[in-house]
Amino acid sequence: MQSQDVAHRHAPASSSAAGPVVDVEQAEAALVEHYPRLVRLAYLVLPPGLGRGRRVLTAHALTQRALPRGRKSSSVIPAQSTGREGDPGYAFVRLQVMRTALEAALPLRRRAWPTRSQLPPLLPQVWGLRLFPRSGGAGELALDQRLAALAGPARAAYVLRGLEKLPDADVRALLTAAGVTDPDTALREADSVPAQYALLTSPEFDPCSLQARPTDLMRRRQHTKAALAAAAALAVCGALVALPSGGWGPDGAAAPAYAQNPAAEAALDPGRLVRVSPTAWQTATRTDFSVWPARGPLTRDTALLRRALAVWARPGEEVRVSATPGTQTGGPAGPPQLLYAGVVDGARVVILYDGLRLARYAEPKDGTEGAALDFARVDGATRAESSAIVLSRSDGNVRYLTAPWVQKAAERDLLKPGAGAMDLNLADGITSPLASSALQPGACTSWNVLQLTDATGTHLVTDLGELVPARLTSGRPGKAGEAHGAQALRVWAPFACSLAAERSAGVRSVNAWGFADQPLPDASGTATWVCTRAETWRGGGTAVLAQFQTPGGKYGAVAARARDVPACGPRDPHVLAGVLWKSGAGTWYLLAAGGRDTASIRTTGGVTAATGGNLLAVRAKRGARAELKGTLDDGTAIGNLR
């Protein structure tokens, strides 16, 4: 519904709403620095009726058009921004984005030309693909539906309160400047939606982190054939060309796309779902997802199971589909295994397993509109890696469905190694909700992980925004163990926040290896070097970070990073990294370290030095660039991580 109108007017860059005069360079700097946030603002304010794909493109288009028209030259190089507050450039582009997003939300009227914002964007354009944000949990789905029921100005008021943290007086002023004629009504209408502001930072509402799917391939093929046929007809001046019947088509002897096929029909039959005995895991030679029993109160709800299978095979345009990188989203080859069917946090959830992938289907409890389908690759999962599945995310919390062999579950803050773990209730394998670090907005002040205990021991897993949590280990590559011991927890604590860089990357496990302790010059104590390596389910895309922590520092600093390299892994359990460091006395040093089997280190370039052993500390100039090389005990040469 639309309960307020937005006036069609544009304020100049020097208007009071925008603050002081803003030149194009200042506005452009603010737009580039805060582009993801501005696009998220536009996406949330735009009407959901546009569809997720058009909302994404329109949000980017409106943000990119937010610069002032005029250009004022400036020879001054601006300093790095100190933040959004007090930045007139950011205030200006934010106002422009809000104004055009509100205009786009207005209905088209007869006998009136539409504004540019109400038309499909000319740029950016994507051909042959549908782009949409990653799917969130039931909480995000419910919030999106509530925001869709609001008028555009009320939606804008809610977003400015929640995402920009503006007080109502500032929201009222900004809405007025954006052309809203009745901002008080907008604020009152926004009060009807619960203040779940943390959900606004979810990947569900991030139009800069996107999933790509093809458009309707059958329709596109038909249109292409029709266009080619029309071109051929024009080329021969309208002469009809008859093709002989019975010839081979482009698909050879394949059946039509929607022909009845016994195997395909069996995969969609809820009566043929594989259901494993509750005690099968106790005697099975494999202990993974294949021996999970079917759990939940809706495992006999044939209608729900049929919908889940049908959506898996043929997801509609409105279904929100997400998959970990390298995971196929096609239908199952045969009847999959049922792991769970029930109601969780206001949504009906079904979890299925086809031997290679997990699929989670979720729909609102009171209907099927807004259904979501998530995939995760889990081939070759070990016992520890198949110990939990993310069942639901809601209000910044996550619930897990645990394996039948899990005896105890607890929550632990990885940043506090000395604190104990807090026990979680387990009801039919489902944990009570715990705070999800994957949904944590703003600064990293804690990193909650799930601690699971079974007959073989205790291990930790962490939510990285996907269907399967990542396993955490600690120790030298090839000999790493579970990360639950006191020493392992101390190693992980300063570097836990670096896990945020691997959200939604298909991570299987992350190992932290403390490869060196280095005495610092000028009697500054001892620094710690740690190498973290994130392995993925697809094999490629591994991420390696060499991190450095000074004495008393709460967090580690990234000294070097690399992707798809064997360093810090079982195939190459070695690493060499360096960092420029300033002592308390004000002297700059180049520090470098390798594993304990590093026999010597030398540096060339901006700093020239050499040393025996695995540690190097040499005076250097601020900003110096150097190349590190090392030699292992067996004579093998290694280079710095990059």
Side-chain angles (χ1 to χ4, degrees):
M1 63 180 178
Q2 298 288 338
S3 60
Q4 300 98 29
D5 290 328
V6 180
H8 297 276
R9 64 175 184 267
H10 294 275
S14 58
S15 67
S16 61
V21 175
V22 178
D23 64 22
V24 70
E25 285 85 1
Q26 188 177 11
E28 183 179 17
L31 189 148
V32 171
E33 182 178 357
H34 303 294
Y35 185 81
R37 189 177 197 89
L38 291 165
V39 177
R40 188 187 289 261
L41 279 170
Y43 181 83
L44 286 163
V45 175
L46 286 169
L50 292 177
R52 302 176 77 206
R54 182 172 166 185
R55 277 175 79 191
V56 165
L57 296 178
T58 302
H60 283 274
L62 298 182
T63 305
Q64 292 170 15
R65 295 205 303 263
L67 293 178
R69 300 289 184 183
R71 174 172 288 273
K72 179 180 178 181
S73 61
S74 173
S75 60
V76 179
I77 299 176
Q80 180 178 344
S81 171
T82 57
R84 301 187 308 277
E85 294 76 8
D87 184 351
Y90 178 76
F92 176 83
V93 292
R94 179 178 63 186
L95 174 60
Q96 294 298 102
V97 168
M98 296 301 295
R99 176 185 290 123
T100 53
L102 287 168
E103 285 180 351
L106 291 173
L108 295 174
R109 297 173 180 174
R110 291 185 177 182
R111 301 179 182 178
W113 288 102
T115 65
R116 185 180 180 186
S117 303
Q118 292 174 290
L119 298 174
L122 296 177
L123 290 173
Q125 284 286 352
V126 179
W127 296 93
L129 287 175
R130 292 186 294 116
L131 300 179
F132 46 86
R134 298 179 180 274
S135 297
E140 287 87 343
L141 291 176
L143 178 59
D144 197 30
Q145 291 173 351
R146 294 187 182 105
L147 292 178
L150 298 179
R155 217 167 27 247
Y158 185 91
V159 173
L160 290 171
R161 281 172 169 172
L163 202 59
E164 294 292 276
K165 310 298 183 186
L166 295 181
D168 282 2
D170 290 349
V171 173
R172 188 179 293 107
L174 199 154
L175 290 179
T176 301
V180 176
T181 58
D182 191 357
D184 291 323
T185 299
L187 286 166
R188 286 195 297 272
E189 188 178 346
D191 290 335
S192 65
V193 178
Q196 299 173 304
Y197 297 141
L199 296 181
L200 296 178
T201 62
S202 165
E204 169 80 16
F205 305 118
D206 184 3
C208 291
S209 178
L210 302 172
Q211 297 277 346
R213 294 292 180 272
T215 54
D216 191 327
L217 299 179
M218 293 300 295
R219 182 179 298 174
R220 195 166 75 190
R221 179 181 294 177
Q222 292 169 356
H223 289 176
T224 302
K225 289 181 178 179
L228 292 174
L234 290 173
V236 297
C237 302
L240 297 177
V241 179
L243 295 177
S245 61
W248 290 101
D251 293 330
Y258 293 97
Q260 293 183 343
N261 178 279
E265 289 182 342
L268 299 179
D269 183 357
R272 299 193 182 187
L273 284 172
V274 177
R275 300 168 188 264
V276 174
S277 165
T279 59
W281 65 272
Q282 299 176 3
T283 56
T285 55
R286 290 173 52 188
T287 313
D288 55 17
F289 294 110
S290 65
V291 293
W292 278 38
R295 286 174 287 180
L298 301 181
T299 56
R300 298 298 174 183
D301 187 335
T302 302
L304 171 63
L305 300 178
R306 188 181 303 279
R307 288 196 299 274
L309 291 168
V311 170
W312 184 353
R314 302 183 307 278
E317 288 284 336
E318 299 303 318
V319 176
R320 308 178 187 206
V321 181
S322 71
T324 56
T327 305
Q328 300 299 318
T329 59
Q337 178 182 341
L338 176 62
L339 303 187
Y340 180 83
V343 177
V344 185
D345 295 329
R348 288 188 289 262
V349 178
V350 177
I351 297 180
L352 303 164
Y353 171 65
D354 70 352
L356 298 174
R357 302 168 295 170
L358 289 172
R360 180 183 63 189
Y361 170 79
E363 64 182 27
K365 186 178 179 180
D366 53 358
T368 60
E369 184 178 354
L373 185 63
D374 304 302
F375 293 94
R377 181 173 171 175
V378 291
D379 47 312
T382 63
R383 179 185 179 109
E385 293 165 344
S386 54
S387 59
I389 300 172
V390 172
L391 193 57
S392 171
R393 293 187 184 90
S394 179
D395 298 330
N397 296 321
V398 59
R399 288 183 190 268
Y400 293 94
L401 177 66
T402 61
W405 54 82
V406 170
Q407 300 168 347
K408 183 180 178 182
E411 176 182 4
R412 176 183 288 280
D413 185 353
L414 212 54
L415 294 185
K416 300 176 181 177
M422 182 177 67
D423 289 343
L424 297 172
N425 292 328
L426 275 179
D428 197 21
I430 301 175
T431 67
S432 51
L434 64 151
S436 171
S437 298
L439 303 177
Q440 180 176 251
C444 178
T445 57
S446 63
W447 194 275
N448 296 307
V449 297
L450 178 66
Q451 178 174 296
L452 299 172
T453 303
D454 60 26
T456 64
T458 300
H459 58 275
L460 302 182
V461 296
T462 184
D463 180 20
L464 292 181
E466 296 176 321
L467 191 51
V468 180
R471 179 189 179 193
L472 300 180
T473 58
S474 178
R476 182 179 175 83
K479 300 179 181 179
E482 302 298 341
H484 69 87
Q487 175 61 27
L489 291 173
R490 285 194 295 271
V491 169
W492 259 113
F495 310 102
C497 290
S498 67
L499 289 167
E502 300 308 316
R503 289 171 178 158
S504 303
V507 172
R508 180 175 189 163
S509 63
V510 187
N511 182 60
W513 170 36
F515 64 90
D517 294 319
Q518 183 171 26
L520 296 175
D522 299 340
S524 300
T526 302
T528 301
W529 289 88
V530 169
C531 189
T532 59
R533 180 180 176 90
E535 302 283 357
T536 67
W537 288 98
R538 64 190 183 279
T542 55
V544 180
L545 299 178
Q547 304 190 64
F548 175 80
Q549 184 201 14
T550 55
K554 185 176 181 181
Y555 304 107
V558 176
R561 68 180 72 223
R563 283 197 177 271
D564 291 316
V565 297
C568 284
R571 290 177 53 195
D572 184 16
H574 312 288
V575 65
L576 177 64
V579 67
L580 283 172
W581 172 78
K582 183 179 180 181
S583 72
T587 305
W588 284 91
Y589 290 89
L590 171 64
L591 306 178
R596 292 179 177 84
D597 56 354
T598 302
S600 65
I601 300 174
R602 65 186 183 279
T603 176
T604 58
V607 181
T608 303
T611 184
N614 69 324
L615 301 173
L616 179 145
V618 59
R619 289 195 178 192
K621 293 182 179 180
R622 178 179 181 179
R625 301 177 66 87
E627 181 76 15
L628 292 175
K629 295 183 180 179
T631 304
L632 301 179
D633 290 337
D634 61 4
T636 303
I638 60 172
N640 57 303
L641 180 70
R642 59 181 174 183

